Amino acid sequence: MSKRVVLTGGGTAGHIYPALALAERLAADGCEVWFAGTPGGIESRIVPDAGVAFVPFESSGFNRRHPMTLPKGVARIMRSTRKAKAWFRDIRPDVVVAFGGYVSIPVARAAEQTGVPVVVHEQNSVMGMANKYIAKKARAVCLTYEEAAKYVPDGVKWTVTGNPVRASVVDTTRKQGRAYLGIPDDATLLVVFGGSKGARHINEAVAAMKDDLLAIDGLHVVHITGEAELEATRSRLSLAQGEEERYHVMGYQDHMAETLAAADAVVSRAGATSLAEISAKAIPAILVPYPYATNDHQRTNARAYADAGAALVVDDAELESAPFKAAVLRLASDASERARMREAMLTLQPEDAAAKLDEVVESCLA
C-alpha cells in the first residue's frame, strides 16, 4: 500500500511552491499526496492546477490591536481541527508536512490528536508564528536557514534542508522561456516582481523610470505587479502602442518557471521562495526586502546573496533615490556586470533541497 502524505500551508506563494516541489518528489516515490489549504487563498487555484488533490479548511489569524479577532480566529481553528480529524479517519495519512500559514495549525493539531507525525518546513530565516506553534510537537523541523534554528523548541530534531524548488523552475530552458513570453533571443530581459501579492512601492519606482529603461537598446521588461496593483501601474506607465511591444505588464504570472528562465536580471522582494528560485537560475538581482516582514527576515534572507556579490540590496525607503535608479539601469544595460553577478550567484546555488526534505519525510514514514 502506498504511503499517504498531507501537505498544508497557505496565504502566500512562498508557502505553497516549496510544498509543490516536495509533492513532485513524493509522487515520484509512489506516495499519495493531498494539500490542505484555505478555500479563498491562491493555493486553491495553484495546487489543483499542479495536479495535486486540494482540500479546503477555513482559518484566520488575529490582530493584536483588535482583541475581539482572537475568539473568532480560535473558533475557526477548532472547527477546522474537527473537520481535519474526520478527514484523517477517511484517508488515514502517514505523515503531515506543514509549510506555514494559519491553515497549517488546525491540520497539524488534527495530526497530533490522531497520532500522525508532523514535519515542519520553515522557508525563512525567522520562523513564522504558525510554524513556531506546530514545531513544539513536531517529529522533525526542516530549515532553509540555520539562523532559524534558535526558534526550534529544545528537544525537537531539526536539520537544514534548504528551500525546495519545483522541477519546472530548475529544468525550463532559456529558449523555452523566451518562446513562452515572445521575447527575442538576442534581447535583454529585466523581470520585476514583488512576490505573489505584488509590491506597490516597487511598482511605483520602476514605473517612474519607464522612459529610461526603454531607452536601453534591445531591453524588454516583464513587470508583474500583483493583481490589486495592475490597473494603477498601467495608469502610471501609460504605455504607447510601440512601448507595449517591449514593456510587458501583468497582474500575476502562473508561469514563473518560464519567466525566470528567460530573465537576464530581476528586481524583487527577498522572500525565501523568490530567492531560492532566483538562485536556482543564477539570475543577477536587485533585492528590496519587505520592510514590515517579521523581525526584518527578508533582509536576513538576502544577506548571503549581497555578501557574495550576487545581488544588490536596497532599502524600501530608498526606492525613489538616484542610486536605486542608477543600479537598475546599470544592471539592465551592463552585460559584463550581469556576468560577474551571475558567476557569484552560481556559487550560492543550493543542493537538492527537495531531495533532502523528502529524506526527512520518508524517515517519518518508516
Side-chain angles (χ1 to χ4, degrees):
M1 181 177 177
S2 62
K3 297 296 185 179
R4 299 180 172 189
V5 182
V6 171
L7 311 178
T8 182
T12 70
H15 294 313
I16 301 160
Y17 285 134
L20 292 179
L22 177 62
E24 293 172 345
R25 186 64 61 114
L26 291 168
D29 292 342
C31 297
E32 293 182 69
V33 182
W34 291 264
F35 191 106
T38 57
I42 60 172
E43 62 268 26
S44 65
R45 174 173 53 83
I46 293 174
V47 172
D49 286 350
V52 177
F54 179 80
V55 180
F57 290 87
E58 294 284 354
S59 69
S60 64
F62 65 93
N63 188 328
R64 291 181 176 86
R65 291 178 294 181
H66 299 283
M68 288 308 297
T69 63
L70 178 59
K72 293 180 180 179
V74 170
R76 288 192 183 96
I77 287 172
M78 292 178 66
R79 286 196 299 270
S80 289
T81 300
R82 291 193 293 270
K83 177 182 175 182
K85 287 171 69 175
W87 177 46
F88 285 177
R89 285 194 290 270
D90 290 336
I91 68 169
R92 298 186 179 278
D94 295 288
V95 65
V96 168
V97 188
F99 286 82
Y102 290 112
V103 70
S104 297
I105 294 176
V107 179
R109 278 169 50 87
E112 294 160 7
Q113 292 172 18
T114 55
V116 178
V118 176
V119 176
V120 170
H121 182 270
E122 176 55 52
Q123 298 85 54
N124 288 296
S125 54
V126 176
M127 188 172 285
M129 190 190 78
N131 276 350
K132 280 183 186 178
Y133 175 83
I134 297 167
K136 295 175 184 178
K137 297 182 180 179
R139 179 75 59 87
V141 174
C142 298
L143 307 174
T144 300
Y145 301 96
E146 189 169 350
E147 293 98 311
K150 63 186 176 184
Y151 301 99
V152 179
D154 291 342
V156 177
K157 177 184 175 183
W158 63 269
T159 185
V160 177
T161 60
N163 201 17
V165 174
R166 293 163 293 157
S168 60
V169 173
V170 175
D171 297 339
T172 301
T173 66
R174 177 184 174 88
K175 182 177 181 180
Q176 290 169 329
R178 293 289 171 120
Y180 171 76
L181 293 170
I183 305 293
D185 290 341
D186 60 351
T188 300
L189 176 59
L190 173 68
V191 176
V192 180
F193 63 103
S196 57
K197 296 182 179 180
R200 178 179 299 177
H201 205 184
I202 292 177
N203 290 340
E204 292 172 346
V206 174
M209 61 179 79
K210 176 200 72 173
D211 292 342
D212 297 285
L213 287 168
L214 292 179
I216 298 172
D217 187 44
L219 179 69
H220 282 242
V221 179
V222 168
H223 189 156
I224 306 168
T225 66
E227 293 287 5
E229 296 295 319
L230 178 59
E231 292 309 317
T233 305
R234 278 179 171 163
S235 178
R236 288 189 191 94
L237 287 164
S238 189
L239 294 167
Q241 185 172 356
E243 293 175 332
E244 290 176 341
E245 295 175 4
R246 292 174 53 209
Y247 201 115
H248 315 271
V249 188
M250 57 196 73
Y252 189 77
Q253 175 57 277
D254 281 327
H255 292 263
M256 282 303 291
E258 290 85 351
T259 304
L260 291 175
D264 294 296
V266 300
V267 176
S268 81
R269 291 294 193 200
T273 295
S274 295
L275 285 174
E277 295 183 349
I278 289 168
S279 177
K281 304 305 290 185
I283 309 169
I286 295 176
L287 303 175
V288 186
Y290 179 57
Y292 305 110
T294 304
N295 293 341
D296 203 19
H297 70 253
Q298 287 204 3
R299 182 173 299 280
T300 306
N301 291 351
R303 185 181 300 148
Y305 298 87
D307 290 346
L312 176 67
V313 178
V314 177
D315 286 342
D316 187 86
E318 300 298 319
L319 285 177
E320 281 87 12
S321 70
F324 172 70
K325 180 177 179 179
V328 173
L329 296 178
R330 181 181 180 190
L331 193 61
S333 61
D334 190 336
S336 62
E337 177 71 358
R338 293 195 301 273
R340 182 194 65 75
M341 294 176 71
R342 177 177 171 80
E343 287 301 312
M345 188 68 81
L346 285 168
T347 68
L348 297 172
Q349 284 192 318
E351 297 180 43
D352 191 343
K356 288 184 175 182
L357 179 56
D358 182 48
E359 288 179 8
V360 175
V361 174
E362 292 282 353
S363 72
C364 294
L365 292 172

